[in-house]
Amino acid sequence: MPTHDVFNGSVSRVEILSADGSIDEQLADEVRDVLDDEAVVAAYREMLVARELDDAAYRLQRSGRMGTFPQNKGQEAGPLAAAMTLIAGHDHVVPSYRENIALFHLGLPMHQILLHWMGDERGNDIDPKLGISPICISIGAHLPHAAGIGWKLKIDNDKHGTDRVCMAFFGDGATSEGAFHDGLNFAATGDAPVVFVCQNNGWAISVPTEKQTRSQTFAQKALAYGMPGFQADGNDLFASFKVCRDAVRHARAGNGPALVELTTYRIADHTTVDDASRYRSKEEHERGVASDPLIRTRRYLEARGQWNDDLEKQEKERATRIVKEVIATAMEIEKPGKSDIFDYAFATTPRELERQRETRRTGSLGQSPRQSTLSRVEADEAVTV
């Protein structure tokens, strides 16, 4: 029997704004209906504030006022562009932890991010009207949630004629998790309007991309699930906006999910407990810093006469004032109640947790409460761990 191809596919990469601030005018014209000069100036101002908060959060951790913090530094353009394709309060976002600026753009109060990393779960008590799920630390665990939310949106869209979409963010390391494949497959077979946005910063903590996958891109993984895959320079506001808008339009039109890969670089360590200099070369880091989205966006605006040193100084001072107010709000909030950690994990608190809350006693780490001191608590009130 003759052989014949049963599948063909490809993924295109989009680049519009270069690191030196020059731009592909033809491609840029495709997105200037939204990204006109005024909008790019506004986006740059948002990036300045987000960068200032990022640096401030690092200092808070180093001064002992925060447990740990994963800096977003260097990855501002892609998530912001992605958020700009959504309708705040209409669409739904399922975040990871390295796209703070997207959440701020969609209305999340900035102090809630600080509260979260200070160990105060009220940081994840997000106004339902914003359509933002809690921050997810577990790698990729939130992607099936996004698929499920997307499926519910599809049912509502079909029933009520709406066009809501769900957007989920994750890093390249999440693609090695089973939940990534579960989420994409469920969304694809259910025609759920989900846009999966992978921020590929080249490293999953200390594991480089070439050890994550034998695929040439993460975007091409979409093809295996029967959905379109897009790739763009994630430090390029214009290119990121174009591919995300294409993906959102695809999902909003009822054509099912899509996968977007935004290539970027985390300038800082993975978190404040990491030391990236132990596995990344100095030369690589310097190349990453040179591709900083804030630098190239500023160069673009300067070339168009929309920015200068005076504005830069003025806006950095504004960013500092805003962040100081955000920190004050986070630091001055009333301390959480001692029972809070028991009260919000389950819709109905299990009896075992109720007993822990009431007695403040439990088994030691690694022991099942059923096997250890909990069963003794009721009989022996002297047992305390």
Side-chain angles (χ1 to χ4, degrees):
M1 295 292 290
T3 62
H4 60 280
D5 293 340
V6 293
F7 173 77
N8 287 290
S10 64
V11 173
S12 297
R13 176 177 172 82
V14 178
E15 298 176 359
I16 299 178
L17 180 63
S18 301
D20 64 4
S22 61
I23 198 161
D24 183 310
E25 292 291 348
Q26 186 173 355
L27 283 175
D29 283 344
E30 294 184 19
V31 295
R32 281 211 172 99
D33 57 316
V34 174
L35 291 179
D36 56 15
D37 287 346
E38 183 179 358
V40 179
V41 166
Y44 182 61
R45 295 175 79 213
E46 287 185 71
M47 287 194 277
L48 286 174
V49 175
R51 178 67 62 89
E52 178 67 20
L53 184 75
D54 204 76
D55 289 339
Y58 178 84
R59 294 192 294 273
L60 287 173
Q61 195 281 330
R62 280 294 184 264
S63 60
R65 288 174 287 178
M66 183 179 287
T68 186
F69 184 74
Q71 287 188 268
N72 293 202
K73 195 172 187 175
Q75 298 188 201
E76 292 88 350
L80 175 58
M84 292 173 72
T85 67
L86 300 178
I87 303 171
H90 178 75
D91 298 318
H92 196 97
V93 176
V94 181
S96 179
Y97 53 81
R98 219 182 289 274
E99 51 279 328
N100 291 343
I101 192 170
L103 308 183
F104 301 153
H105 182 80
L106 295 170
L108 181 73
M110 298 173 78
H111 74 276
Q112 290 197 231
I113 290 292
L114 299 184
L115 286 179
H116 170 84
W117 293 106
M118 288 174 176
D120 189 332
E121 283 301 323
R122 286 174 295 182
N124 273 323
D125 185 13
I126 298 171
D127 186 342
K129 293 178 181 177
L130 296 179
I132 298 174
S133 296
I135 295 171
C136 182
I137 305 301
S138 302
I139 305 302
H142 56 311
L143 299 181
H145 301 172
I149 291 169
W151 194 37
K152 174 63 166 64
L153 294 182
K154 172 182 166 49
I155 293 171
D156 289 346
N157 290 343
D158 292 344
K159 188 175 181 180
H160 303 296
T162 52
D163 60 356
R164 299 174 66 197
V165 303
C166 176
M167 179 176 283
F169 291 94
F170 54 99
D172 45 295
T175 65
S176 294
E177 297 286 346
F180 166 79
H181 304 280
D182 293 341
L184 265 67
N185 193 55
F186 186 90
T189 55
D191 289 329
V194 184
V195 176
F196 296 94
V197 179
C198 173
Q199 288 202 79
N200 173 15
N201 61 31
W203 294 88
I205 308 183
S206 58
V207 179
T209 296
E210 58 268 24
K211 289 188 177 180
Q212 281 281 333
T213 183
R214 289 288 181 264
S215 300
Q216 290 178 276
T217 70
F218 290 106
Q220 72 195 70
K221 294 179 184 291
L223 306 182
Y225 293 102
M227 66 177 77
F230 304 87
Q231 189 194 68
D233 181 342
N235 287 5
D236 173 346
L237 185 72
F238 291 81
S240 298
F241 180 82
K242 175 175 168 49
V243 296
C244 288
R245 185 165 70 172
D246 288 346
V248 167
R249 282 175 170 172
H250 170 88
R252 207 182 290 287
N255 297 317
L259 172 62
V260 172
E261 177 187 2
L262 301 176
T263 58
T264 182
Y265 192 80
R266 57 172 166 82
I267 293 175
D269 298 327
H270 175 70
T271 67
T272 48
V273 295
D274 177 42
D275 177 7
S277 67
R278 301 181 67 175
Y279 53 84
R280 295 192 310 200
S281 70
K282 180 180 177 183
E283 293 74 21
E284 178 196 306
H285 183 68
E286 289 174 346
R287 286 196 301 273
V289 172
S291 71
D292 189 330
L294 272 71
I295 294 174
R296 71 171 67 178
T297 305
R298 177 181 173 176
R299 287 173 175 164
Y300 168 77
L301 290 173
E302 288 175 336
R304 294 180 68 83
Q306 299 295 317
W307 205 256
N308 54 48
D309 290 343
D310 289 340
L311 282 172
E312 183 76 5
K313 180 182 178 185
Q314 175 183 318
E315 289 300 325
K316 283 189 172 179
E317 290 174 350
R318 170 180 171 271
T320 300
R321 288 196 302 275
I322 290 173
V323 170
K324 281 184 177 178
E325 292 173 3
V326 169
I327 293 174
T329 301
M331 298 296 293
E332 293 170 5
I333 195 169
E334 182 182 359
K335 290 183 179 179
K338 292 181 180 178
S339 297
D340 284 4
I341 59 173
F342 296 100
D343 293 339
Y344 304 113
F346 296 90
T348 302
T349 306
R351 177 57 188 153
E352 291 172 355
L353 288 184
E354 285 184 351
R355 281 190 290 184
Q356 287 186 35
R357 180 177 57 196
E358 293 163 1
T359 64
R360 297 286 192 269
R361 295 171 181 174
T362 183
S364 61
L365 290 175
Q367 289 182 308
S368 168
R370 290 188 181 87
Q371 299 171 346
S372 183
T373 52
L374 265 185
S375 59
R376 294 158 52 195
V377 165
E378 293 174 337
D380 182 4
E381 287 296 322
V383 175
T384 303
V385 178

